[in-house]
Amino acid sequence: MSQAQQPVRREPYIYTWTDEDGIQRQAKIHYTRDDRTVVWDPRYPGDEEPWFDANTENWRCGDDELVTLGDPNAPGYGEIDPDEDEEEEGSQWS
């Protein structure tokens, strides 16, 4: 029988790249409870799921799924659960 793993702490980070026109771009990358990396990419004003995971097809979530949003000194900030059940993922858009 395996033991449950301890939560892992993540910190948001800045990702920098140069696009095809030579323009340098940046995005702040955040983490969800199940350790997905997401970026702010609202589809329209007032979007309830403005966070986008570009590593999967059309996966989006709301602020409540993020662990790296808010006060870094708050309890639970940045903690992801390695044992998080995949059935509790955010919405799937097809």
Side-chain angles (χ1 to χ4, degrees), residues 10-67:
R10 299 282 192 232
E11 297 287 336
Y13 64 93
I14 302 296
Y15 177 74
T16 305
W17 73 98
T18 303
D19 69 14
E20 62 273 357
D21 295 324
I23 299 171
Q24 190 173 31
R25 308 273 184 187
Q26 290 187 325
K28 189 169 189 177
I29 310 300
H30 283 274
Y31 287 89
T32 62
R33 276 191 290 266
D34 59 352
D35 206 22
R36 290 178 186 263
T37 53
V38 295
V39 295
W40 175 258
D41 183 32
R43 297 163 286 189
Y44 49 83
D47 188 356
E48 292 184 15
E49 294 183 324
W51 298 95
F52 176 70
D53 177 1
N55 295 320
T56 59
E57 188 174 327
N58 298 319
W59 193 90
R60 303 189 75 86
C61 69
D63 291 352
D64 58 330
E65 291 290 321
L66 272 62
V67 295

Side-chain angles (χ1 to χ4, degrees), residues 64 89 93:
D64 58 330
E89 293 179 355
W93 293 88

